[in-house]
Amino acid sequence: PGTAEGRPGTAAAANDALRKEVAGLRLENQNMYHLQEENASLRKQVQDLKEALSHDKIREHNAKLTTKVKVYKAQCERLRQDAAGLGRPMTSAGTRATQEAETLSLLDEVEDYDEELAALVKKNVAMLSEIREDLSDTQRAFAEEEQEQEELLR
């Protein structure tokens, strides 16, 4: 009889323990859903921040590229003008000085944005100066040769 009475008491205790465990698991389960929702919300926020940061970087990069394009266009236009002037003799001494001043101004602008580009422009300016000198020397040589031929024909 004492053993039989102990068994129902043990069953009741086991039942209470199981009920407490189930209640604990239910509470844990509710917390899990709450944590999943919070986790999903935080992941969304992180993704939004990444996209915003990416857009800011793209805008910043775009602004830098736009500036470089403006500098390159100015450089290209000045080089075209310089190249157009190569075929014609200078009409005044100040024109070459003006072109050189403009080129130096361009170099200052370029150095602010890109040192490698500035070095390239300086190299191009030096080569352009050499080409001008060679062209001038060639024109003088042709002129001298023409004069010599005219003198021979007289």
Side-chain angles (χ1 to χ4, degrees):
T3 324
E5 287 177 6
R7 283 188 188 153
T10 306
N15 247 353
D16 284 344
L18 285 174
R19 282 190 187 117
K20 285 180 183 177
E21 187 175 346
V22 167
L25 289 172
R26 283 186 179 146
L27 183 61
E28 196 175 309
N29 196 28
Q30 287 175 349
N31 287 340
M32 181 186 69
Y33 288 122
H34 177 71
L35 289 174
Q36 284 178 335
E37 289 173 4
E38 188 176 348
N39 190 10
S41 173
L42 290 172
R43 286 179 191 265
K44 173 85 169 96
Q45 286 178 359
V46 167
Q47 185 62 31
D48 291 346
L49 290 172
K50 282 182 180 178
E51 287 176 9
L53 181 62
S54 175
H55 291 304
D56 288 344
K57 284 185 178 181
I58 290 172
R59 279 190 212 106
E60 182 180 314
H61 187 65
N62 191 27
K64 286 180 182 178
L65 289 176
T66 301
T67 303
K68 282 185 177 184
V69 165
K70 288 179 184 177
V71 170
Y72 294 152
K73 282 183 177 179
Q75 174 193 7
C76 185
E77 184 58 33
R78 288 184 180 131
L79 290 174
R80 279 189 188 127
Q81 290 172 355
D82 287 349
L86 286 177
R88 293 180 253 141
M90 298 303 253
T91 55
S92 69
T95 304
R96 186 169 301 248
T98 301
Q99 288 176 340
E100 288 176 5
E102 288 174 355
T103 302
L104 291 175
S105 172
L106 173 64
L107 282 174
D108 290 339
E109 289 176 33
V110 170
E111 280 182 321
D112 290 342
Y113 300 104
D114 191 340
E115 290 179 17
E116 186 177 327
L117 177 62
L120 182 62
V121 171
K122 285 179 184 179
K123 183 179 175 183
N124 287 346
V125 168
M127 289 174 62
L128 185 59
S129 179
E130 288 179 27
I131 290 170
R132 282 182 180 145
E133 289 175 21
D134 290 346
L135 181 61
S136 179
D137 292 344
T138 304
Q139 287 173 340
R140 263 187 254 125
F142 278 128
E144 289 173 4
E145 191 174 312
E146 283 180 3
Q147 283 180 347
E148 288 175 9
Q149 285 186 4
E150 285 178 11
E151 288 177 11
L152 288 175
L153 293 174
R154 287 184 200 172

